[in-house]
Amino acid sequence: MTTTGANGLKDCVEGVVVRIDSHFPLVEYAGRKYRCTLRKKLKRGPRDTTHKICVGDRVLFLPPAHEQDICPIEEVLPRKTQLTRKAARHEGMSQALVANVDRLIVVVSAVAPELNPRLIDRVLVAGENGKLECVICVNKMDLVPRGKIEPLVAYYPAIGYKLIFTSALTGEGLDGFRDALKDKSSVIAGPSGVGKSTLLNAIQPGLKLTTREVSEVTGKGKHVTAFVQLIPLDFGGYVVDTPGIREFGLWDVTKSDLQDLFREMAPYIGQCKFHDCTHTHEPRCAVKAAVEEGKIPRLRHESYCAIFTSL
Ligand code: GDP
Ligand code: ZN
């Protein structure tokens, strides 16, 4: 299939960036992978982001006459979803980590490390901000009775998040975990030690997430670069791997955006006494009233306030 892009780019095809390492975006099209490079005009691109292209981006390019040739990317298509973080050392800029994946699976453990809903909420905010569908997975359920854990997270399904309980050790809930990944592209995030690698290996042996870093010697000296890639799943779908996402310091959220990233607050926005209410301390705040009435989980509002203060 050939596509004509918005700029009238004849004979270009649409591919997906499946991997980025220090040198080239690797773009898959019709089952083959092409080493590509960004055209200069695209490198300049929008000013508010340091990375003009990331894994998952859909791009238009002209397949080269010789397979070994490096082909220029003519256009990066608009993103449906994205995970971004604040760019290091570039004030006010963001860095896209992955584009166009469907789901964010937040993995935590029941114990070891202990369940921390505040942390779940921080990751959910990152997912909501990037328009990803978020699923919560509580692992290591073999270590504690379900009755002890369930009440701590029962409000998530009530506000619309899918919640699954798993044990990578006993196999409990693994079907649900597999279903959450099947035929979708997903990114897994959660603190280290909760069992993300073990879970993925349990559903597809050999699928060890590659924390591996690539050491490269270039003309400018030795660099250590982690790469990001889309890994295909045997049973359909893709999972994105990069340590940078898994341990999430994903911050590209403003104070004023935050209220929109707590979905259960939506019905109350605009109902407060002050039009610029922050829903943290103001009198006659509709959100706080909803918390008092039990319509918004108190813990979620506490997370909102904590994140608001941290921004
Ligand atoms: P990651 O850092 O999130 O990728 O965590 P790992 O997959 O490396 O797991 C951390 C530790 O938890 C390892 O010692 C695993 O064997 C253990 N672990 C993982 N899943 C489970 C589980 O469901 N139950 C128990 N009891 N231990 C688990
Ligand atoms: Zn308010």
Side-chain angles (χ1 to χ4, degrees), residues 46-295:
R47 273 158 208 257
D48 58 344
T49 168
T50 55
H51 288 45
K52 313 302 176 199
I53 191 168
C54 65
V55 163
D57 263 327
R58 295 173 307 132
V59 298
L60 298 183
F61 73 105
L62 202 59
H66 305 285
E67 212 175 315
Q68 295 310 310
D69 290 355
I70 292 168
C71 32
I73 290 170
E74 305 289 346
E75 197 174 321
V76 181
L77 298 175
R79 294 173 182 153
K80 281 187 282 188
T81 70
Q82 60 178 350
L83 271 184
T84 55
R85 69 175 167 205
K86 259 191 192 148
R89 293 186 296 277
H90 295 273
E91 190 61 37
M93 291 174 96
S94 66
Q95 176 192 351
L97 294 170
V98 56
N100 300 323
V101 295
D102 305 304
R103 285 196 174 153
L104 169 65
I105 305 192
V106 186
V107 182
V108 294
S109 52
V111 283
E114 203 177 326
L115 188 81
N116 177 358
R118 194 62 65 79
L119 197 96
I120 297 176
D121 293 335
R122 285 181 73 89
V123 190
L124 290 177
V125 162
E128 292 284 349
N129 192 40
K131 310 242 176 305
L132 290 146
E133 189 191 330
C134 304
V135 174
I136 300 157
C137 170
V138 184
N139 189 39
K140 304 201 187 182
M141 288 302 290
D142 55 289
L143 298 176
V144 227
R146 180 122 167 193
K148 274 204 164 150
I149 296 301
E150 215 159 9
L152 303 179
V153 286
Y155 53 87
Y156 288 112
I159 57 175
Y161 292 110
K162 191 176 164 63
L163 172 67
I164 46 185
F165 295 99
T166 58
S167 165
L169 202 75
T170 66
E172 175 194 346
L174 286 186
D175 286 345
F177 184 69
R178 195 183 287 106
D179 285 348
L181 291 163
K182 190 172 157 46
D183 300 330
K184 300 270 179 189
S185 48
S186 308
V187 31
I188 311 271
S192 67
V194 299
K196 297 181 295 297
S197 313
T198 314
L199 275 171
L200 285 163
N201 276 320
I203 54 161
Q204 180 167 319
L207 182 85
K208 202 171 85 219
L209 279 184
T210 45
T211 31
R212 195 156 44 106
E213 293 196 320
V214 206
S215 271
E216 276 172 284
V217 181
T218 68
K220 291 174 193 153
K222 199 171 176 205
H223 289 273
V224 180
T225 28
F227 60 83
V228 187
Q229 62 181 343
L230 277 175
I231 305 171
L233 296 164
D234 294 344
F235 49 86
Y238 287 88
V239 61
V240 177
D241 185 26
T242 170
I245 292 174
R246 276 196 268 157
E247 309 302 335
F248 61 84
L250 307 166
W251 286 109
D252 180 32
V253 174
T254 62
K255 273 187 148 86
S256 56
D257 287 345
L258 191 62
Q259 62 179 16
D260 301 323
L261 306 176
F262 280 75
R263 51 166 68 190
E264 68 277 28
M265 284 170 44
Y268 309 101
I269 304 301
Q271 317 269 319
C272 307
K273 179 176 183 222
F274 302 107
H275 78 278
D276 58 350
C277 184
T278 66
H279 325 301
T280 54
H281 64 276
E282 294 87 343
R284 293 180 51 197
C285 164
V287 169
K288 289 200 310 184
V291 175
E292 292 309 321
E293 288 163 26
K295 291 177 179 153

